[in-house]
Amino acid sequence: MKVGILGGGQLGRMLALDGIPLGMTFRFLEPTAGSPSDGLGDVVRAAYDDAHALDRFAEGLDVVTYEFENVPAASTDRLAGRVELHPNPSALAAAQDRVVEKEGFAAVGIPTAPFRPIDSLDGLRAAADELGLPAVLKTRRFGYDGKGQAVLREREHVDQAWEVLAGQPLILEGFVRFRRELSILAVRGRDGACAFYPLTENVHRRGILWTSRAPADGVTDAVQRTAEGYARGVLEAHDYVGVLAIELFDTEDGLLANEMAPRVHNSGHWTLDGADVSQFENHLRAVCGLPLGSTGVTDHAGMVNLIGSVPPVEELLAVAGARVHLYGKSPRPGRKVGHVNVRGPAATVAEAMGALEALALGD
Ligand code: AMP
């Protein structure tokens, strides 16, 4: 199988690293030279909306998938007529706009924070009255890693946040007092078969995913089944093929969906070393029409992201059981440059993660 991936970042790299042993070959459409996927397949070096480049990219591929959600709709439209494309671009469209995304959740019975689309200061003031403060004002599109958002705690923050974020479509969300953040990673094959990884607990630092551990502590079968039901609802609504991640808030009143990613996801990187079959391999199996692999986990798994810089690799490897994954990216503040996985009994994972977090923070 020759697989095309829109995007050549670390997710594309890890897809290829898991697909090569299955006999797959890869082609990336990636505008930037020196990207993490370089060397793992052929590269069409062009913008994602370059029509001629898209045609060259699609030539001879068995299937196309993507590793980021902001692929322009015109590009997926162009590819759709030429090559098999998974997941369904309708899931991309939903993930690109926080209002469409939340309406989509509601349509399949998934609860979210209350929200209002915002396109004027008067609208924002009225929505702040209705939802109450605190509330979170976010851009509807192109927000990631906590960028393009403001928490409104006091009345005067309403006008201040408008000053900063006005000029683009916005959404105001009720502030969720969550106990913790979880994510569910799901995969659906071309034949409609679904599989789910155990709920993962995620901790963010400065708006960026910092650590994940799985299975999340104290998750009952009922909660796991609820999350799986939510994911299945989205998968089936989009006739989705591939891996889907949904980020959830765990609250006193149950799970609320925050957002979804129609692709492999950072909160599933632990599956590389902690699950029977990783999210990357399962995504490829799904989009290539192969049987899905087990999402089972023998013990506990944890992941620590390396953000902004890479500690000396010998120090990371000195932590018992550490499995190091570097992306070959030049370090820059706030940039994800790698991650480290550990696996084993809960206490061993907790201890190793503590050591890795200290190294990653440069303590
Ligand atoms: P997002 O870009 O939507 O993933 O938001 C980034 C982070 O901000 C989330 O992981 C949460 O920690 C926090 N956050 C987002 N939305 C809300 C909300 N409605 N209430 C409370 N915290 C939020």
Side-chain angles (χ1 to χ4, degrees):
M1 296 286 270
K2 179 113 190 169
V3 180
I5 302 181
L6 290 166
Q10 64 262 26
L11 301 180
R13 172 187 176 94
M14 289 185 274
L15 284 165
L17 287 172
D18 263 15
I20 290 167
L22 301 181
M24 296 171 184
T25 55
F26 291 87
R27 179 182 299 152
F28 302 92
L29 179 65
E30 166 60 49
T32 315
S35 62
S37 298
D38 280 12
L40 295 169
D42 10 308
V43 182
V44 174
R45 191 79 68 204
Y48 300 117
D49 58 358
D50 177 332
H52 296 296
L54 283 163
D55 293 349
R56 262 189 293 134
F57 170 71
E59 185 66 41
L61 294 177
D62 294 300
V63 62
V64 167
T65 188
Y66 16 78
E67 57 123 49
F68 71 111
E69 56 265 44
N70 288 318
V71 179
S75 303
T76 50
D77 287 350
R78 188 163 186 103
L79 288 167
R82 291 173 165 73
V83 64
E84 183 115 15
L85 182 63
H86 297 295
N88 194 332
S90 70
L92 279 184
Q96 285 174 358
D97 182 323
R98 291 183 190 273
V99 171
V100 179
E101 183 174 54
K102 285 195 169 54
E103 287 169 350
F105 286 144
V108 294
I110 305 174
T112 65
F115 66 94
R116 299 283 184 280
I118 303 294
D119 45 30
S120 69
L121 178 55
D122 283 345
L124 175 59
R125 288 176 177 155
D129 287 339
E130 276 180 74
L131 300 183
L133 298 183
V136 187
L137 185 65
K138 303 180 181 177
T139 56
R140 283 174 63 163
R141 300 174 68 86
F142 303 118
Y144 69 97
D145 288 347
K147 292 188 174 63
Q149 23 187 300
V151 180
L152 317 183
R153 296 185 187 279
E154 319 278 343
R155 200 63 221 180
E156 66 253 34
H157 293 161
V158 172
D159 288 40
Q160 288 167 4
W162 176 257
E163 292 284 308
V164 177
L165 293 174
Q168 51 202 325
L170 301 173
I171 180 174
L172 187 71
E173 298 178 10
F175 190 86
V176 179
R177 288 173 213 286
F178 53 82
R179 292 191 286 222
R180 57 181 177 169
E181 294 185 79
L182 300 173
S183 57
I184 181 86
L185 286 139
V187 58
R188 184 169 179 270
R190 283 197 198 174
D191 59 357
C194 293
F196 306 90
Y197 291 95
L199 275 163
T200 301
E201 179 168 345
N202 303 308
V203 175
H204 293 82
R205 221 176 147 260
R206 301 196 182 120
I208 304 176
L209 182 67
W210 168 230
T211 62
S212 296
R213 52 190 86 215
D217 236 12
V219 170
T220 61
D221 286 351
V223 170
Q224 175 73 27
R225 274 199 302 276
T226 298
E228 292 182 5
Y230 291 167
R232 189 185 290 275
V234 175
L235 291 171
E236 289 179 351
H238 291 284
D239 192 17
Y240 192 102
V241 173
V243 165
L244 167 83
I246 304 181
E247 294 183 34
L248 302 158
F249 296 131
D250 184 13
T251 78
E252 265 171 28
D253 305 319
L255 300 177
L256 299 181
N258 176 32
E259 60 181 357
M260 67 184 212
R263 51 170 171 79
V264 288
H265 191 251
N266 195 171
S267 71
H269 288 3
W270 61 267
T271 62
L272 278 171
D273 299 294
D276 293 341
V277 173
S278 78
Q279 62 164 349
F280 302 99
E281 181 174 331
N282 259 331
H283 182 76
L284 292 168
R285 289 188 188 211
V287 302
C288 292
L290 300 168
L292 299 184
S294 164
T295 48
V297 180
T298 348
D299 212 326
H300 288 76
M303 182 226 55
V304 177
N305 261 342
L306 303 176
I307 301 166
S309 63
V310 182
V313 75
E314 58 276 18
E315 291 182 22
L316 295 171
L317 293 174
V319 176
R323 308 286 301 165
V324 176
H325 301 264
L326 302 180
Y327 308 150
K329 290 161 77 171
S330 43
R332 202 192 291 155
R335 198 175 206 205
K336 293 171 179 169
V337 288
H339 70 271
V340 187
N341 288 337
V342 284
R343 181 181 68 181
T348 312
V349 168
E351 190 180 328
M353 285 179 74
L356 292 167
E357 287 175 46
L359 284 172
L361 287 172
D363 288 357

